[in-house]
Amino acid sequence: MNNSVVNTARLLGAGLRALLVLTLVTGVIYPLVVTGIAQGLLPGKANGSEIRADGRVVGSSLIGQQGYSLDYFQPRPANGLGENSVNTQYQLILSGATNLSADSDKLVKAVEEAKAKVVEDNSTAGHEVTPSQVPADAVTSSGSGLDPDISPAYADLQVRRVAERNGLTVAQVRKLVDDHTEGRTLGFIGEPRVNVLELNIALKDLVAKG
């Protein structure tokens, strides 16, 4: 066997050993260590920030849900979500935005129609909502279409309707909103917000208590 064949064999052997070591370290040990640390320090976030109600998982605090009746607080629109045609068994949805520009006639029309619907839905006996009171997040979807939060202004706009439809006082429902309003992250990142799923769970519990 000449030297070139021997050298080639040695190089192949070294390369194989390096591949096995790197696979073990980066593909097995590192993920296990990171997973263990995450489960030990932040188990809630590591498991998807699950929200539980009635003894079961009902969603994630990171992902918005659609389909609430008008008895509940409404989330932001999800106009950018695509329709799933692959896995119809689980009816999965596709995250995405409308990608329409601010001067798009289609977008302007959709916003105007959404604003009219918000005004109609939230005007109650003795309290008429005006178009100027409707905040932007009530009529526009987020970049992903899955925003779990709404602004305190949009939550407050819905208080009278939710109170009327559930036989509660405005003060009771407004306190729910106040209790579930989060400030800016670290005091300066983002905007104040209200998680819709958590708020609606609290609303359901309040109604159940009578």
Side-chain angles (χ1 to χ4, degrees):
M1 184 178 296
N2 57 43
N3 290 336
S4 62
V5 174
V6 173
N7 290 336
T8 300
R10 288 175 178 173
L11 288 174
L12 288 174
L16 180 60
R17 288 192 295 273
L19 175 63
L20 292 175
V21 170
L22 289 173
T23 299
L24 180 62
V25 172
T26 63
V28 179
I29 297 176
Y30 177 74
L32 287 176
V33 170
V34 171
T35 300
I37 292 174
Q39 289 290 342
L41 298 179
L42 302 167
K45 292 183 178 181
N47 292 320
S49 299
E50 296 174 339
I51 296 179
R52 305 183 70 88
D54 300 324
R56 62 188 181 89
V57 176
V58 295
S60 168
S61 63
L62 304 176
I63 300 177
Q65 299 184 13
Q66 300 292 319
Y68 293 108
S69 73
L70 289 177
D71 291 351
Y72 294 92
F73 285 90
Q74 302 298 299
R76 293 186 67 172
N79 299 329
L81 293 181
E83 294 182 359
N84 170 57
S85 59
V86 179
N87 191 336
T88 56
Q89 179 180 358
Y90 295 102
Q91 298 181 341
L92 300 179
I93 55 179
L94 308 177
S95 173
T98 60
N99 291 326
L100 297 174
S101 64
D103 61 352
S104 165
D105 292 338
K106 183 177 179 181
L107 179 61
V108 171
K109 181 181 179 182
V111 168
E112 290 176 345
E113 291 176 348
K115 183 175 290 190
K117 186 72 165 60
V118 170
V119 168
E120 177 185 355
D121 288 344
N122 291 283
S123 292
T124 60
H127 179 77
E128 183 176 351
V129 175
T130 63
S132 63
Q133 293 176 295
V134 180
D137 63 306
V139 295
T140 58
S141 60
S142 64
S144 67
L146 300 174
D147 193 341
D149 305 317
I150 56 176
S151 65
Y154 187 28
D156 185 66
L157 184 72
Q158 303 182 63
V159 164
R160 292 179 182 275
R161 181 218 346 125
V162 171
E164 182 180 86
R165 293 181 69 96
N166 288 282
L168 301 171
T169 67
V170 170
Q172 284 178 301
V173 179
R174 183 159 285 136
K175 185 177 185 304
L176 274 185
V177 172
D178 291 341
D179 290 344
H180 287 82
T181 298
E182 300 178 46
R184 292 180 172 87
T185 304
L186 300 178
F188 66 94
I189 300 175
E191 296 293 332
R193 59 200 180 277
V194 183
N195 187 283
V196 178
L197 176 56
E198 293 177 348
L199 179 60
N200 280 334
I201 291 173
L203 171 64
K204 184 179 179 181
D205 289 342
L206 180 61
V207 172
K209 292 176 182 178

